[in-house]
Amino acid sequence: MADVTLLGIDIGTSGSKGVLTTASGKVLARAERGHATRYPRPGWVEHDPEEIWWNDFTELIAELLPAAGGRSLAGLGLSGIGPVLVPADECGSPLRPAILYGVDTRATTEISELEEELGGTEILRHGGSALSSQAIGPKIRWLAKNEPEVYRNTSKLLMCGSYLVHRLTGRYVLDHHSASQCDPIYDLRGGRWFPDWAERVAPGVELPDLAWPTEVVGHVGRRAAAETGLPEGLPVTAGTVDAWAEAASVGVREPGDLMLMYGTTMFFVQVVREPLAHPALWSTRGAYPDTYTLAAGMATSGAVTDWMRGLFGGEFGELLRAAAEVPPGSRGLLLLPYFAGERTPVFDPDARGTVCGLTTAHGRGELYRAALEGIAYGVRHNLEVMADSGAPAERLVAVGGGTTGGLWTRIVSDVTGRPQSIPAETVGACYGDALLAGVATNTAVDPRNWNPVVDTVEPDEAATARYAEFYRHYRKLYESTVDTAHFLAAQQRRVG
């Protein structure tokens, strides 16, 4: 298998990445594209599937393919942001921009309606997760109520990965993991659509066939081959949501393993032995057949640091150096990183960012470190709730762009008191896509040794003790400011 290569493509919130690897996991080429995210109204977050997803995909493929040289391509793995909602016509053409995952909070009324109609306890029992801005079901109902003409013409409900699969192969298929985030219309334990509720939430729309991310669901067709340069007949996997592909890329596959993804948002994926229903977390199917995961996600992390970089100017390296010179506690600053509401564990779309303790003596170094520390407090909060659910994390693996530089991971380890393993490759979900393509095509890949650990970030006991007091006040800060945050969120909606 020395001459066999694998392709992985991932479409993210603020950029897309791709890799070409060998069967042993060696990266032969990597490519990256940035893109903009649309915020047409407060609480609305959208992507144009063709302008962003398909254009990024074709550009990444064009950059990666020459690196294959004379080696043959064995398969293509896909992933993308999710869960997202793309209503499409019978040909698979999008009828409107994609409604993104939990950062899009437009369907709050529909969440309440479905909870009243179906029963919150029953929803949690069947699907493993309470309804939140992450769930697809309320967004389908929002579409039917608010854009009825679009809904009448909707024949297919696509996500990022399934849109690319359909465009490449013509198959209308969704992986089990993505389907398990379509609450309340997926039966988590049964591994199937829940027909009674599906007809009530998405009446008249045919739901996709279900497959696992480790399955080949189709092959690149003639038209797609001409548009992309990919060989006709290339096997294509079912795809999945980016965080689960990223977890696969770093060997998170045993119960107790947890991936901590430092990206535009902070995301947690932990493998568990059986479904665990918790109202403040998401219980889902995993990337591998018949596996389960417990997941959590913060609404912003890298998005906050990127926003600060835009305000202050300069490069990330400059801000990291300035923040590294500031002691733990940011010289008396405390930041709530709820700049786009918050997902787990508070599930409050109207939460807002807060900086407490600010004086004219504070500069960009203190503010930037306070942002990193605030996100770390959010990580600790989520880890505590996951442990309370009955599944404490035994091994933390850090991945994503935020692991570079070392400061952010060190702060997280100090705040949580937990070591973090750093793998050799942190390129992201696309690297996991290549691995899953190898598994799906029976290429001689070794998932356990695909991406070995090369470093461990150990917590500093003195810093952990220092942060414990700040963390206590962090938890109190949200409780004491929530009414004001909700008032301000309402004002923001009023002015658009």
Side-chain angles (χ1 to χ4, degrees), residues 166-225:
H166 189 275
R167 187 96 183 234
L168 290 165
T169 71
R171 286 290 312 278
Y172 180 38
V173 62
L174 186 67
D175 69 289
H176 278 279
H177 165 69
S178 298
S180 70
Q181 296 209 53
C182 291
D183 301 299
I185 63 177
Y186 181 86
D187 180 358
L188 185 65
R189 287 188 178 272
R192 61 184 178 89
W193 295 117
F194 196 38
D196 292 343
W197 286 3
E199 184 56 31
R200 295 172 75 168
V201 175
V205 179
E206 178 187 2
L207 297 178
D209 295 332
L210 295 171
W212 291 98
T214 54
E215 293 182 56
V216 171
V217 296
H219 298 81
V220 173
R222 181 176 302 175
R223 179 176 177 180

Side-chain angles (χ1 to χ4, degrees), residues 445-464:
V445 298
D446 182 357
R448 299 180 191 278
N449 296 307
W450 176 261
N451 192 4
V453 170
V454 295
D455 193 16
T456 301
V457 181
E458 296 285 353
D460 177 86
E461 291 184 4
T464 301

Side-chain angles (χ1 to χ4, degrees), residues 21-42:
T21 76
T22 65
S24 65
K26 179 182 178 182
V27 176
L28 300 173
R30 62 188 79 203
E32 188 171 351
R33 293 290 185 280
H35 54 241
T37 299
R38 295 182 60 228
Y39 300 87
R41 298 185 187 180

